């Protein structure tokens, strides 16, 4: 994205990963603790993909309503942000969107998901309704362009695909940005946008701007941003300190699900018999497994590079994820400990379906506890210990 020189003053960046409602609630907990630590108010840019973009969209829309005190802590975070998102994640969304999308000749499943986001959460809000200015982070939603294979950045003002250029947007629904970011293929995708009337600008690397008389600029076929970058790091982790995408510190919140170990191998005589028949090795299951393996490796490569950059002091910051062992932070007073409950949290299905009050509490508390440990260990040592916010369901 081409950014004016004055915009290169950004300092701290946060990335929220994908992972369905699991990621939405893990991000809620993480932001809860970042707020209490006074970090949330100091962020210059927040990016998100997939389930993390649901949280980011709601946070961005209501940012100006947050009541920050003299310590940069929003005293109404729970009521304004956490509670409504918990209510939202108590509702089934995916199955109805799939059924109505399959039966509709005019809408995709992805567009149906976006409509559900709008009806239940964003209430007709437009991207341009997101606030901006001094003391407000830049909010970036990531999607992936199925036609160009590129990551697509969506902000309150523009849509940017470096292969075809950049276009200002006037009346795009916030729900469309969030829906595109979380339209995981093949089930929840794509979100299709008519971009034929947008005032596209040819940017420096837009080698496909004129491809087949500009056909790629007429319609955007968008899917989950996690397909390209599941951690949402692209806009905040560049190594070049002169880059507009270089931030320090870099904070990464990862709610991605771990790869299930074993393909078609489960204990028990019946499972053993089924595996020998080859029924579990059908084309559909192999395709899904292939997708999961590729996603796992893409995330692992980015995580490895991020942590390597921390070690080399390219920038400061920290990483925490649902599979992180909190004991590894070696704090004398962690907010939680590693248990069978915390291990199970990462295995909550990647869906847009009802999450029980107990699982919601566990996800929020675990995100809170890990953010607390990560920040106190690597960013702001000496900060006081927090307390799990959802008292009924401690981890």
């Amino acid at each position: 994205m081409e950014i004016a020189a004055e915009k290169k003053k950004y300092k701290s960046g946060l990335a929220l990963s994908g992972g369905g409602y699991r990621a939405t609630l893990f991000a809620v907990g993480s932001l809860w603790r970042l707020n209490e630590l006074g970090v949330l108010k100091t962020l210059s840019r927040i990016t998100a993909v997939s389930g993390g973009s649901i949280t980011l969209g709601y946070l961005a829309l209501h940012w100006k309503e947050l009541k920050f005190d003299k310590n940069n802590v929003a005293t109404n975070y729970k009521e304004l942000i956490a509670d409504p998102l918990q209510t939202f994640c108590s509702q089934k969304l995916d199955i109805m969107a799939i059924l109505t999308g399959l039966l509709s000749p005019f809408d995709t499943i992805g567009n149906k998901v976006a409509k559900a986001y709008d009806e239940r959460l964003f209430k007709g809000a437009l991207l341009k309704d997101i606030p901006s200015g001094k003391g407000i982070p830049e909010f970036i939603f990531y999607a992936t362009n199925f036609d160009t294979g590129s990551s697509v950045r969506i902000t309150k003002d523009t849509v940017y695909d470096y292969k075809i250029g950049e276009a200002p947007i006037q009346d795009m629904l916030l729900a469309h940005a969030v829906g595109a970011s979380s339209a995981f293929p093949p089930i929840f995708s794509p979100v299709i946008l008519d971009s034929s009337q947008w005032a596209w600008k040819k940017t420096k690397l837009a080698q496909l701007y004129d491809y087949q008389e500009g056909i790629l600029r007429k319609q955007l076929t968008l899917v989950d941003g996690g397909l390209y970058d599941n951690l949402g790091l692209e806009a905040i982790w560049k190594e070049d300190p002169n880059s507009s995408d270089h931030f320090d510190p870099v904070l990464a919140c990862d709610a991605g699900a771990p790869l299930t170990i074993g393909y078609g191998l489960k204990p028990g005589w019946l499972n053993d018999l089924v595996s020998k028949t080859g029924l579990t090795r059908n084309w559909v299951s192999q395709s899904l497994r292939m997708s999961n393996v590729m996603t796992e490796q893409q995330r692992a490569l980015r995580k490895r590079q991020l942590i390597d950059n921390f070690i080399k002091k390219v920038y400061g910051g920290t990483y925490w994820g649902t599979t992180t062992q909190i004991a590894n932070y070696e704090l004398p007073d962690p907010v939680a400990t590693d248990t069978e409950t915390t291990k199970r949290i990462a295995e909550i299905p990647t869906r847009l379906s009802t999450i029980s009050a107990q699982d919601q509490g566990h996800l929020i508390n675990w995100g809170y506890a890990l953010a607390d440990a990560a920040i106190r260990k690597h960013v702001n040592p000496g900060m006081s210990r927090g307390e799990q916010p959802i008292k009924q369901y401690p981890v």
Side-chain angles (χ1 to χ4, degrees):
M1 179 178 287
E2 297 186 349
I3 298 178
E6 63 269 16
K7 286 191 176 182
K8 294 186 179 181
K9 297 177 182 178
Y10 294 132
K11 293 182 179 180
S12 56
L14 168 67
L16 304 175
S17 85
Y21 281 170
R22 182 185 63 249
T24 301
L25 293 165
F26 187 75
V28 167
S30 297
L31 291 171
W32 202 320
R33 186 54 180 149
L34 293 182
N35 174 53
E36 290 181 351
L37 290 168
V39 174
L40 180 64
K41 182 68 166 62
T42 68
L43 293 170
S44 300
R45 178 181 286 178
I46 310 177
T47 71
V49 298
S50 197
S53 69
I54 298 173
T55 302
L56 182 60
Y58 200 76
L59 175 72
L61 184 61
H62 296 282
W63 182 271
K64 279 203 166 182
E65 298 168 52
L66 290 169
K67 298 176 181 178
F68 290 101
D69 63 18
K70 63 180 181 180
N71 297 315
N72 286 336
V73 177
T75 58
N76 60 338
Y77 174 84
K78 177 183 183 297
E79 296 78 15
L80 184 66
I81 305 298
D83 289 348
L85 284 171
Q86 280 194 260
T87 299
F88 177 74
C89 291
S90 302
Q91 306 171 45
K92 287 186 178 181
L93 188 153
D94 51 8
I95 293 178
M96 183 58 67
I98 290 170
L99 292 176
T100 56
L102 287 173
L103 295 174
S104 173
F106 304 108
D107 266 333
T108 66
I109 294 173
N111 286 100
K112 289 293 186 182
V113 170
K115 285 184 178 181
Y117 288 162
D118 191 52
E119 292 170 358
R120 302 183 189 187
L121 199 61
F122 300 117
K123 311 297 183 182
L126 303 175
L127 276 167
K128 66 182 181 182
D129 296 328
I130 293 176
S132 62
K134 186 176 180 180
I136 301 174
E138 180 186 23
F139 304 102
I140 296 179
F141 304 91
Y142 267 120
T144 302
N145 190 327
F146 236 14
D147 288 316
T148 66
S150 303
S151 179
V152 176
R153 295 187 191 184
I154 305 174
T155 70
K156 69 165 287 160
D157 299 315
T158 61
V159 171
Y160 173 73
D161 178 329
Y162 79 92
K163 291 183 180 179
I164 60 174
E166 184 176 40
I169 48 178
Q170 297 297 322
D171 297 318
M172 182 174 171
L173 287 169
L174 173 58
H176 278 153
V178 176
S181 183
S182 57
F184 192 80
I187 299 174
F188 300 122
S189 63
V191 169
I192 296 178
L193 301 177
D194 180 358
S195 54
S196 59
Q197 302 304 311
W198 295 1
W200 286 94
K201 172 186 175 183
K202 186 175 183 179
T203 49
K204 184 177 179 180
L205 300 176
Q207 74 270 29
L208 296 179
Y209 181 84
D210 294 315
Y211 179 80
Q212 292 190 7
E213 299 181 349
I215 191 173
L216 297 175
R217 291 182 277 114
K218 295 179 180 179
Q219 176 179 285
L220 296 181
T221 304
L222 303 179
V223 297
D224 196 315
L227 195 65
Y228 186 95
D229 174 11
N230 192 265
L231 294 179
L233 286 169
E234 198 71 16
I236 62 171
W237 76 327
K238 291 295 189 293
E239 298 177 15
D240 180 1
N242 294 315
S243 169
S244 59
D245 290 340
H246 178 85
F247 287 75
D248 187 0
V250 174
L251 310 178
C253 170
D254 179 12
L259 181 70
T260 302
I261 302 303
Y263 172 62
L265 297 175
K266 296 180 180 179
W269 67 269
L270 181 58
N271 287 320
D272 184 54
L273 178 63
V274 171
S275 68
K276 289 178 180 178
T277 67
L279 291 175
T280 59
R281 296 187 294 277
N282 59 76
W283 289 352
V284 172
S285 65
Q286 288 188 68
S287 295
L288 290 173
R289 183 64 175 180
M290 179 179 67
S291 174
N292 290 338
V293 169
M294 289 190 294
T295 298
E296 174 74 8
Q297 293 310 305
Q298 181 237 97
R299 183 190 297 113
L301 288 170
R302 289 182 181 273
K303 178 182 174 182
R304 190 179 307 150
Q305 183 177 345
L306 176 69
I307 293 176
D308 189 50
N309 284 343
F310 289 153
I311 293 171
K312 292 178 179 177
K313 301 187 184 303
V314 174
Y315 36 66
T318 188
Y319 163 95
W320 65 94
T322 50
T323 60
T324 299
Q325 298 287 305
I326 200 167
N328 290 343
Y329 293 111
E330 299 179 336
L331 290 176
D333 58 344
V335 173
T337 57
D338 300 303
T339 65
E340 286 301 311
T341 296
T342 62
K343 181 180 178 181
R344 185 187 64 81
I345 286 171
E347 299 170 357
I348 293 174
T350 305
R351 289 190 56 186
L352 302 175
S353 187
T354 303
I355 292 186
S356 69
Q358 175 176 283
D359 282 347
Q360 287 195 29
H362 288 160
L363 277 164
I364 291 173
N365 283 334
W366 191 227
Y368 180 101
L370 287 171
D372 173 88
I375 296 296
R376 290 200 290 136
K377 177 67 175 182
H378 296 296
V379 181
N380 291 327
M383 297 293 287
S384 60
R385 176 185 183 274
E387 295 291 340
Q388 296 181 39
I390 310 299
K391 306 299 182 184
Q392 309 95 302
Y393 304 109
V395 292

